[in-house]
Amino acid sequence: AQSVTQLDSQVPVFEEAPVELRCNYSSSVSVYLFWYVQYPNQGLQLLLKYLSGSTLVKGINGFEAEFNKSQTSFHLRKPSVHISDTAEYFCAVIWNSGNTPLVFGKGTRLSVIA
Amino acid sequence: DADVTQTPRNRITKTGKRIMLECSQTKGHDRMYWYRQDPGLGLRLIYYSFDVKDINKGEISDGYSVSRQAQAKFSLSLESAIPNQTALYFCATSGVRQGRTEAFFGQGTRLTVV
């Protein structure tokens, strides 16, 4: 079965430090890739997506992610985090160019420390 | 008004009761999904529908059923609720035919089964 693995369940980081949240997925067939953020007591909102083209994708709030087909990875990065980035982050994948449902990883809780 | 609306937002019910969670969307999207969120387990797919006449089981469909009454409405039913169905439930839509691959989420329904 196709799966999405977020390698870190929790990531604590000091304010203004860089952060990388890791995401790997099974199978190297054609994929669409997404990162979502969930702030406390809220729904999910899209941070960024990769459908095709440039492997470096820029999203909202200064986040970016890089698609690496050979590594089947889509890691999320931010060069300098803020307290307001404290949230849960979910990686999600659609396989086969859209003919399958959206499958999520288990999430990474990012805690930014002042 | 929200594009994806879930009702109710909160519900407490007793073991053995039948309960329905409703989802409606104003985005005109073809695809609709039901997920449940549990701490540490991410979002797990219960059912999804790519069109009104296309209903598919997800990863954890046992104990649940769905109805796609119209393109804009997708209801989730728990025929006989049990305590381990206590969770946060999310409805989502995506419009692949409209060129919008990413999913848009409702605000969630917090269900407690006692």
Side-chain angles (χ1 to χ4, degrees):
Chain A
Q2 291 145 335
S3 63
V4 181
T5 302
Q6 291 186 241
L7 296 162
D8 306 297
S9 59
Q10 297 188 59
V11 173
V13 63
F14 286 104
E15 194 174 17
E16 298 184 9
V19 69
E20 179 179 80
L21 306 183
R22 296 178 291 170
C23 174
N24 288 85
Y25 57 93
S26 61
S27 175
S28 59
V29 298
S30 179
V31 291
Y32 295 154
L33 300 161
F34 308 85
W35 275 98
Y36 286 84
V37 60
Q38 184 181 34
Y39 297 105
N41 300 313
Q42 294 190 23
L44 280 78
Q45 60 179 264
L46 183 70
L47 266 180
L48 49 79
K49 63 183 177 182
Y50 170 81
L51 304 182
S52 65
S54 173
T55 57
L56 183 63
V57 179
K58 294 189 183 299
I60 61 171
N61 301 337
F63 284 93
E64 63 181 31
E66 186 157 19
F67 168 53
N68 187 320
K69 187 175 181 179
S70 63
Q71 302 285 330
T72 59
S73 68
F74 191 54
H75 299 334
L76 181 71
R77 295 191 289 259
K78 186 170 183 177
S80 175
V81 295
H82 303 289
I83 295 288
S84 59
D85 293 323
T86 294
E88 189 141 24
Y89 293 79
F90 293 96
C91 180
V93 182
I94 296 177
W95 281 271
N96 295 326
S97 300
N99 292 324
T100 57
L102 186 62
V103 176
F104 283 83
K106 293 185 177 180
T108 298
R109 183 169 299 278
L110 175 64
S111 299
V112 180
I113 305 160
Chain B
D1 287 341
D3 295 319
V4 183
T5 303
Q6 291 183 232
T7 55
R9 292 292 312 278
N10 289 281
R11 181 74 181 267
I12 300 173
T13 192
K14 293 184 178 180
T15 297
K17 293 290 187 183
R18 184 178 189 274
I19 182 170
M20 179 182 288
L21 308 184
E22 300 193 15
C23 177
S24 62
Q25 53 127 338
T26 58
K27 299 188 77 66
H29 286 170
D30 49 325
R31 299 186 176 190
M32 298 188 74
Y33 306 83
W34 276 105
Y35 294 90
R36 68 176 275 177
Q37 184 179 17
D38 299 276
L41 297 180
L43 279 80
R44 292 182 292 166
L45 183 62
I46 307 172
Y47 271 95
Y48 61 102
S49 169
F50 282 0
D51 204 341
V52 174
K53 295 183 179 180
D54 178 60
I55 305 288
N56 303 279
K57 292 183 178 181
E59 178 189 355
I60 54 163
S61 59
D62 287 349
Y64 301 94
S65 62
V66 291
S67 172
R68 184 89 183 258
Q69 301 96 320
Q71 186 183 30
K73 295 184 183 294
F74 192 39
S75 301
L76 176 72
S77 293
L78 287 67
E79 298 301 325
S80 179
I82 56 177
N84 77 0
Q85 290 177 314
T86 293
L88 183 57
Y89 290 83
F90 283 104
C91 174
T93 75
S94 64
V96 174
R97 277 198 232 119
Q98 294 83 18
R100 300 305 300 270
T101 318
E102 67 269 30
F104 295 83
F105 284 80
Q107 288 299 298
T109 295
R110 187 166 295 281
L111 177 66
T112 303
V113 183
V114 297

